[in-house]
Amino acid sequence: MTPPLSASGLDLEPAPSGVRRRHSARWVAGVVLVVGAALVTLLATRPPQAATEVDTPLLGQRAPAIAGTTVTGASFDLSTLRGRWVVVNFFASWCPPCQQEQPDLVAFDYAHRTPGDTALVGVVFDDAASSARAFMRSTGAAWPAVVDPDGQIALQYGVRGPPETFIVAPDGTVVAHFDGPMTGSGLDYWLARAQRGTP
Amino acid sequence: MIARRLPDAGRWALWVVLLVVVGVALGVGASRPGPPLTAVQRAQSIDAQVRCPSCEDISVADSSASTAQAIRQLVVARVRAGQSDQQIDAFLVSRYGPGILLRPPDTGVTAWVWVLPPVAVAAAVAGLASALWRRRGAAAPAVSEDDRALVDRALAQRAAAAGAGTGDTPAGPRGAGSVVAP
């Protein structure tokens, strides 16, 4: 039998099982605390969610029509942009990823203002026109945003939830589809790729 | 029981007739067209087979999401325009992909989902019938001459005891075993 040990040299009885259990509980609690803190740190410092290119049956197909009224009351028809590259962005003012991508879209739009350059078109997804208009105005967005009160434009594009973005070629076919918040550099990259004809 | 009184061939014929009647009744019942559906009823039946695009595995009929409402509106409009269920399904697939349909398509690999259950049921019925047939057709166990003699002796003893009119029953377990004990 192992003799009992003590720092003072006195023989002590082994710790009762209740004390050992309390020590184990402290260890477990400590480990859980450290793991929890690590997870919180990881989630708080990870880079913001980015858009991913996702498949859609519309790829290579004629882009469905987008015609109607914009949030400012002007009329709009996508077919008038035939011959230009078009970025169609489905968004809502209540959607955090849309708020995240908005500064990038504003910068992208500003960089492509020359006549004949890529056009940006918004489609309001499940949102009031007034909320969308206020959102556009507060972020300095100047591109047309078409209201879609009954969701039929979103349905024609197979949109599941905002933000979703489509790139439409000058001949009117859909060449790319993205789910999630876009970045300006990402848009430029995918546009350049589409313009080169790289699949 | 009528079936017990019938000879073997009669019993089998009865089962076959029963099976045929049930099969024909099921076939007629399944293929008989019901009353014509109204446009709204047709739209509802289509909605129940379409997955809500922005939800987790619930049908458009059961969802209040904006995407589900848009699909319900589209389905009603297309039904009223005279489109068939297949045309409406095809349009939705052309926008959202085949995953939009809750009912698996009856082409390609998923066709097995429709084919396998009836095949499995038919195989099970055939296997059961075959097992029953084999059990009935199995030859009776061979009886030796010694066994026959033993039974004859036992029967003779029983007849003799009955003829004597004693009415005594040997102690011990009841049944033939106690009668044939030497």
Side-chain angles (χ1 to χ4, degrees):
Chain A
M1 196 172 153
T2 311
L5 298 173
S6 82
S8 60
L10 295 171
D11 288 345
L12 297 173
E13 290 298 317
S17 63
V19 175
R20 279 204 302 272
R21 224 176 284 137
R22 273 202 298 278
H23 284 178
S24 304
R26 273 185 209 149
W27 270 105
V28 171
V31 169
V32 168
L33 197 69
V34 169
V35 170
L39 266 176
V40 169
T41 309
L42 188 73
L43 291 173
T45 57
R46 70 176 179 170
Q49 185 195 1
T52 48
E53 190 187 19
V54 287
D55 200 11
T56 166
L58 285 177
L59 284 182
Q61 305 295 318
R62 178 64 51 90
I66 299 176
T69 310
T70 67
V71 292
T72 57
S75 59
F76 176 85
D77 191 340
L78 180 65
S79 63
T80 60
L81 296 176
R82 186 63 54 82
R84 294 171 65 179
W85 289 89
V86 182
V87 173
V88 179
N89 174 248
F90 288 83
F91 75 101
S93 65
W94 47 260
C95 138
C98 305
Q99 296 158 8
Q100 179 190 320
E101 72 176 357
Q102 191 73 352
D104 278 66
L105 294 183
V106 171
F108 176 86
D109 179 56
Y110 189 78
H112 293 82
R113 286 249 172 102
T114 50
D117 202 347
T118 304
L120 188 52
V121 175
V123 180
V124 181
F125 181 94
D126 193 18
D127 199 3
S130 56
S131 306
R133 183 171 58 245
F135 174 66
M136 298 279 290
R137 191 170 291 162
S138 69
T139 53
W143 58 88
V146 183
V147 292
D148 183 21
D150 52 5
Q152 293 303 310
I153 299 175
L155 192 161
Q156 293 288 336
Y157 277 81
V159 173
R160 294 167 190 272
E164 286 190 35
T165 304
F166 296 81
I167 295 179
V168 180
D171 65 356
T173 56
V174 176
V175 292
H177 169 225
F178 304 94
D179 187 12
M182 298 298 297
T183 61
S185 56
L187 263 178
D188 281 327
Y189 168 79
W190 286 106
L191 263 171
R193 203 173 149 146
Q195 285 162 357
R196 282 198 308 268
T198 314
Chain B
M1 297 283 283
I2 296 169
R4 280 183 187 282
R5 288 189 213 127
L6 289 172
D8 274 358
R11 256 183 276 169
W12 277 106
L14 187 67
W15 279 112
V16 169
V17 168
L18 269 174
L19 276 176
V20 169
V21 168
V22 169
V24 169
L26 283 175
V28 169
S31 61
R32 200 173 117 189
L37 298 176
T38 64
V40 172
Q41 286 172 328
R42 251 194 75 205
Q44 283 170 343
S45 78
I46 295 171
D47 291 344
Q49 298 293 331
V50 176
R51 178 177 279 115
C52 166
S54 50
C55 318
E56 289 287 336
D57 283 335
I58 59 169
S59 75
V60 158
D62 296 329
S63 170
S64 59
S66 64
T67 50
Q69 290 173 21
I71 291 180
R72 284 201 294 268
Q73 195 178 333
L74 173 124
V75 169
V76 167
R78 290 192 172 230
V79 165
R80 290 205 166 120
Q83 290 197 357
S84 67
D85 292 13
Q86 289 74 22
Q87 285 173 312
I88 295 169
D89 284 354
F91 171 78
L92 291 171
V93 168
S94 75
R95 293 305 190 253
Y96 291 99
I100 193 69
L101 301 179
L102 285 169
R103 180 188 156 99
D106 53 5
T107 54
V109 179
T110 45
W112 288 105
V113 173
W114 299 102
V115 172
L116 282 180
V119 168
V121 168
V125 169
L128 187 67
S130 161
L132 287 173
W133 185 267
R134 274 203 306 273
R135 215 173 72 173
R136 288 197 164 274
V143 180
S144 66
E145 286 304 316
D146 289 346
D147 291 339
R148 285 187 192 284
L150 188 64
V151 171
D152 289 344
R153 276 202 306 277
L155 289 174
Q157 280 178 8
R158 177 187 259 188
T166 58
D168 289 342
T169 305
R174 289 181 294 171
S178 60
V179 175
V180 296

